[in-house]
């Protein structure tokens, strides 16, 4: 169960309205790596988890904080929109280039659809979607997904930090950037603890029998481009991070197979096939019809 | 530039057609973490990269291999569909429960739309979409995204391995699982090398000034759930993985702020507001009309 | 069957082209509550309806009018685009700020994709989609959906009315706003008639046996936030609109249940589970392989 | 801020796993009218609201309850999937028609992607999306949207009730159906209170000046179909629900206008136009090139 | 304007309900090449057209017929669903394999969402979307799009014809297949007439000056694969269909250029760059901060 | 298999950065008819083809070239973004109208999400999706789809040519326009060869028995609009392009059927039905419950 408290985790008040910036801020609310993604991702991981105790606690504890971040951003956006210039646009385009320019940078659905309110969309107005989240049930994979999400989110927030000089907005971003910093650390630590406690290991998933792999390609870099420099990286020589092998380097594939011949599905799919077969096909259809009558 | 060779990297021939399994295999072709995602993600990272040499080589080298994996899976799916039972469905539902059951498990668009061919969709028929990929320009974030993608992809391939006993399909999966194994190792190694060579560090992005964070919340676990066990994890005490702080634990938020009052946008957005304002609003519209006339 | 007449229901000619406004007008053509939604929604309700006579007549009669509104808006947008400034954009950005600003506010796909034509998208360029419509077969629910759609549509048209001073555009909007006014009234009246004639009643659906509800929570406001003022509304005390109960107010849930323990699916899904189980899992996989051989 | 408690509002434990039903239950979790929609819709309405006090309280109070319903359904689905038959599918299709049939009815992404976990999708696997929600800032419109959402949701839950005989699942649905019953009543009551307290009235929005409508069409039923029975409904005669007019009935449009001539955009959009113009166009392009040189 | 007549263009009554087939038939109603696509595509082409007279007539005349096909399919689907087995599913899965198999092949949203009604989706339940349609304003391109749409649609209908033996359904398909036959002919004829009357020619668009092309690559087949047989086709030798050149064949690209160096965007985008630059970047940010203070 | 070479097929270097134009160029990279569509479409047609030899060669040869076009456009866009003005936006809106106007025309996700990099989206930021491609297995239909795609793509590139005066960008477009010119010719030639060699013919699919069509409507223009001029086109009289009939013209439908009565699905779907039935329904539910107990 979730309970709501009519306070915010941190002050979220802009110095002044700024509808252009409101549009940009939508990215970290409703974008691929926005707070809705983060909150929902941790929520579904918690609901689907197969281990109780501190792991499920961790997921619930942070998921719930993130729903509060969704709220802080939505409220900030609504405040930034309090003077949406689209309200009296008709008077301005021809006479006031600055106003016209500002309007060009806004999300017009903020005005037309939401009446100067926040929306569950990204900075280009694409609706948030459930396919942004990851919850596979394998926690080493999922914690890596979480670390990535916090990194991408922090990169985006840092970029947004420089796109405004509004003190109130920057304060909120400073707070969110710090929390993303914390959460990066925490998911990396959680991934380490999973490995240390023996729940999972590299490669993920760790209990698929390695003997079922085509073993000789599991540690070989195969280069399908014409550059040679990639052979110099630590991904091409030395021990592998999973501690189970040594990287080798090979220019191009190590094995090839002939391309299978084209398929010949049932003639009633009306695909184009080679001629003799097509004749059979026509006959087959006729025969088929006869059979049915 | 890309050049194509009419061979495959590995044998991709099933023992027998299996339209139900063909549908399932679509997940690792056109799903969120399917091969189209992987190939496109590495491609866009390469095209957008800001560092040349071994890093761009690496991205090109693997992207190109992955386009070949797209091809292997598409060809395998076409072969699995060679006897799609939808071709003569009408005769079977009532009389043959096994056939009817099989048909229920197929992707009917394989038959109706593609005529027994592979499609750029996942195992539920959702079209692949560009929002599945990640290419932020920050390589430590992006290599983490890549590691996650290879983990999720290997988990899915491992699950699919158990959903068939077709030797040809299993051989292909054994190959792909081994390559995912390799690529997990390689992106983790690449992330380490980025840090060792000083390109990036934790937290990502590493050159956003930490002094611009709200510093006292960057290392604190704040618990918004009622469980207490999460306080026992290494994400709540001890040194942080970025080497820059010590985790602390706090039950609940460390700071709060009052919720801002509701916004009052322009009356011409026709939102519902408190009464005195609404009266002004009606008057304002009238005045506005007068002004325009 | 539908028949087309090459006239419009109302004059739809703008005073002058305005590509920026053309983009905004797309919202009421191809947005969530645009005319395509309205026309398709009433159409599908008509095709799916289970009662003939005046009810199906009503749905066909209005659906058909709304397809004409789709046409009026598409034609208006094409006219507004007749001087799309993107045609000679390259000369203007640096030298003419007003022109540059105007271009910033246009939908560039109007120019690049449609060659100055209307599109089946909203004001942010999101394609219209079938998931916008509602046709459940339960007419009291659906007429309520229709009333909502006409309200949202009229709010949006009213907002758009103030974003232009083009007399021709405003005339068209005045017409559409009046029709939305009519249709709000009419769906509300239709909902009332459904109840009066005994087809449906509140709660919807009205013939699900109330004895199959957990009865003691069907009339209780449960407050999951920390505000107390919601207890003062008529939604928290007095008779309920369905005429079947009395509202009561309760601060928080009236009942709770322990959270179920985590699930333990088959080990071949490679989820992360608690340790003893994982050991079994590894053994199980091995055993499973033996069994198959 | 949101706080989480590791209890559920109501017992959510099925008698036995049922992966086919788990797929169906996804509709009321992640569908157009599922609990994610409901929770997010009330959340965004609260964050965007322009009136404080009991109205905002109401939205927060119920939004928060609905996030708990998301959780209950996700956990129920995870439990229903605890024996997902896809785990050992390969052995069964040919030999066991019942098992094959069951598998045909499951969501295969439950198995392949989520490892027997719930997902943010509907019963056909379409991801939830932000465009399902409505938050216009006009509360009479939005409360009507909410009443509709609770009606559609209750209809779906009632249908699902009959698709299982699992006592645990039915108990949960009985609870959710009762809450939908409550919430239908409450949004209807809230809409009435908005009107009684003078915040909004019909038609929505109520303070758009009626004098700006094309007035003679605001109360006329125009029939664009060939049925005559719709003229008998209360939507075609008698006083209108907004109390401001009388319905009249008219067979067909009351006004028409000639269709505007085709547009002739700039020749550089390369549209097909009538011949003389095209000649000018070719010349124009040539001239344009000369001018630029 | 559109007017509706409560008759169908052709009989649309199935012999018996068939919920599995209803799902399949959704493809030609709401799929990529379904009737909604066709009707909307011709509608938007008509509304956007730049030439009046017979061309606009043609588009209106067929668009309007196609809206009637949408209706026929929707009504047929509703009839096929009249005995949707999901209504009493709970009794059947374990005891009746045939019934269970049937249910596995249905679209469960037909039952849960639409109450046994048609929906604006394809055979996998993906909502129809505006991005399926093409209306570029260039009629030679668009008529080619239309010819393709009628071909794909007829292929799909022909496939569906074999998936049922219901006489009523087959009759409807026989009618629709015949109309697709007609419309293929007609769009090909219309494309020819456009060329003969001088409106457009190959290559499309025909009045882009050929002198602005890189001319030496406009008639050369460049082979980027390792097969040699494509050099034997008429696309690699002889006169080109546009009557303006001769095909030539070249194995591989005719020209190459070095890959540009990586970009170095502003440091405030926090991308990963080569080391010296990164140092500047850090310094730059610091300087930037100083400048702002 | 695909192999990558770190060269481009043609020079792709702009004279100067231009973030506004970068957004527009996304259309031909990631739009409905962008290069990702083209490359993927030919790829899937190749993987699904049923005829080997020159046909499959052709598809592989061009698909592979098109992946190189994806790369050229992505790299061009990254270069155009090298001075994305969003990096220091906060200083400019109020003081510099030109800069503000420019920013209004950019894709802000280029800055926020990709850090000044290309993305897999169109010019309005809609993600590319798998439903853009066509690969039916019927090559006459598919080659027509390919011809259309090359036409639409060339129209868009020609429009874009006029929206910039950057010499480097125009050179690239001149190259791509020439290749689109080539590929239009080539798919038309391939379609002709398919017919000449007897693989397929009009109407597509050519081996569906014409005797299974409702024959008398296969050559009749039925006019559902009130214009008469369409009767003058060659699509309404004279021989049909398939060489199998003569066009005739008919004003309106040639046949009609009564609309079927409304359906009456199971009462447990809770649809609204006519009254007597509803009574039965309520009784039926009660009976049903009794039966189960």
């Amino acid at each position: 169960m979730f309970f709501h408290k009519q306070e915010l985790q941190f002050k979220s008040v802009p110095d002044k309205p700024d509808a252009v910036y409101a549009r940009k801020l939508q990215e970290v609310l409703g974008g691929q790596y926005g707070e809705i993604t983060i909150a929902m991702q941790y929520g579904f991981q918690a609901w689907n988890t197969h281990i109780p105790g501190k792991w499920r606690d961790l997921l619930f504890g942070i998921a719930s904080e993130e729903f509060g971040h969704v709220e802080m951003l939505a409220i900030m956006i609504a405040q930034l929109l309090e003077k949406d210039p689209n309200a009296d646009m008709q008077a301005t385009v021809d006479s006031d280039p600055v106003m016209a320019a500002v309007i060009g940078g806004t999300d017009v659905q903020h005005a037309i659809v939401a009446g100067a309110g926040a929306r569950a969309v990204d900075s280009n107005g694409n609706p948030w979607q459930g396919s942004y989240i990851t919850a596979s049930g394998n926690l080493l994979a999922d914690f890596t997904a979480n670390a990535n999400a916090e990194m991408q989110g922090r990169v985006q927030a840092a970029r947004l930090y420089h796109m405004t000089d509004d003190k109130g907005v920057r304060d909120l971003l400073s707070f969110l950037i710090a929390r993303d910093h914390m959460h990066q650390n925490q998911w990396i630590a959680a991934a380490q603890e999973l490995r240390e406690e023996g729940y999972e290991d590299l490669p993920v998933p760790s209990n698929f029998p390695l003997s079922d792999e085509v073993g000789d390609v599991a540690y070989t870099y195969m280069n399908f481009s014409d550059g040679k420099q990639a052979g110099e990286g630590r991904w091409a020589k030395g021990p592998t991070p999973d501690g189970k092998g040594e990287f080798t380097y090979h220019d191009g594939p190590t094995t090839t197979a002939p391309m299978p011949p084209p398929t010949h599905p049932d003639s009633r799919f009306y695909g184009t096939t080679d001629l003799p077969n097509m004749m059979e096909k026509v006959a087959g259809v006729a025969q088929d019809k006869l059979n049915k009558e």
Side-chain angles (χ1 to χ4, degrees), chain A:
Chain A
M1 290 190 290
F2 290 90
F3 293 83
H4 184 261
K5 189 179 170 88
Q6 295 186 34
E7 291 175 12
L8 301 175
Q9 198 183 349
F10 196 76
K11 192 159 73 83
S12 175
V13 181
D15 297 345
K16 58 180 184 308
D18 182 347
V20 172
Y21 195 79
R23 172 209 182 173
K24 297 189 175 182
L25 207 51
Q26 284 282 162
E27 190 64 35
V28 286
L29 171 57
Q32 182 188 9
Y33 290 110
E35 299 286 1
I36 298 178
T37 298
I38 305 298
M40 283 286 189
Q41 180 158 308
Y42 302 166
F44 273 91
Q45 288 176 9
W47 300 321
N48 288 344
T49 193
H50 311 307
I51 42 175
K54 68 182 174 185
W55 307 96
R56 190 157 68 165
D57 259 26
L58 173 69
L59 288 161
F60 278 131
I62 303 179
S64 198
E65 177 180 355
E66 304 288 6
F67 279 111
H69 293 186
V70 171
E71 180 175 60
M72 278 195 289
L73 282 163
I75 284 174
M76 171 60 87
I77 287 169
Q79 291 175 100
L80 287 166
L81 290 168
E82 201 157 2
K83 299 284 175 233
D84 189 314
N86 288 290
D88 46 10
M89 184 173 184
Q90 79 278 13
T92 62
V93 169
D94 294 334
S95 56
D96 183 348
V98 174
M99 182 60 83
V102 167
I103 284 165
T106 62
D107 176 342
V108 296
Q109 290 189 311
H110 272 156
I112 301 171
V113 176
R119 301 185 69 237
V121 304
D122 69 18
S123 61
N124 267 335
N126 298 299
W128 188 84
Q129 52 182 306
S131 56
Y132 290 159
I133 72 174
T134 297
S136 72
N138 184 296
L139 291 189
L140 188 46
D142 288 355
F143 289 173
T144 306
N146 297 355
N148 169 52
E150 298 283 352
M151 289 177 186
Q152 302 288 343
R154 193 169 180 271
V155 167
Q156 294 180 5
R159 287 169 180 162
L160 283 163
Y161 185 89
H162 292 297
M163 295 182 191
T164 183
D165 55 7
D166 185 297
K167 182 69 167 50
V169 176
R170 283 197 158 190
D171 280 355
L172 175 60
L173 289 170
S174 291
F175 178 79
L176 294 173
I177 288 168
R179 295 309 290 159
D180 287 346
H181 178 173
M182 170 61 188
H183 294 150
Q184 282 182 35
N185 271 317
Q186 155 249 320
W187 295 119
I188 292 170
Q192 289 171 336
E193 189 139 304
L194 272 178
R195 294 180 68 183
E196 288 165 10
E197 298 192 1
Y199 284 96
E200 291 285 339
D201 204 350
L202 294 178
V204 172
S206 49
N207 44 359
F208 182 85
L210 294 186
S211 58
D212 281 341
E213 289 188 349
V214 176
D216 51 344
V217 300
Y219 297 103
T220 306
Y221 184 103
M222 301 183 199
N223 183 30
F224 282 74
S225 189
D226 63 345
K228 300 292 174 234
Q229 293 169 289
E232 298 160 18
R234 71 141 69 187
W235 50 76
K237 59 190 176 202
T240 55
D242 66 5
K244 301 188 175 113
E246 287 278 324
F247 284 124
T248 60
Y249 178 86
H250 189 272
D251 198 23
T254 57
T255 171
T256 69
M259 182 157 293
T263 56
H264 288 94
D266 192 285
S267 63
R268 286 165 293 186
F269 286 132
Y270 295 104
T272 303
T273 63
D274 47 308
L275 212 50
N277 173 276
M278 192 175 75
M279 290 299 108
E280 285 168 27
K281 182 166 61 176
V282 173
V285 169
Q287 190 58 46
D288 182 63
K289 285 177 61 65
L290 284 175
N291 293 348
K292 290 204 190 318
E293 284 159 13

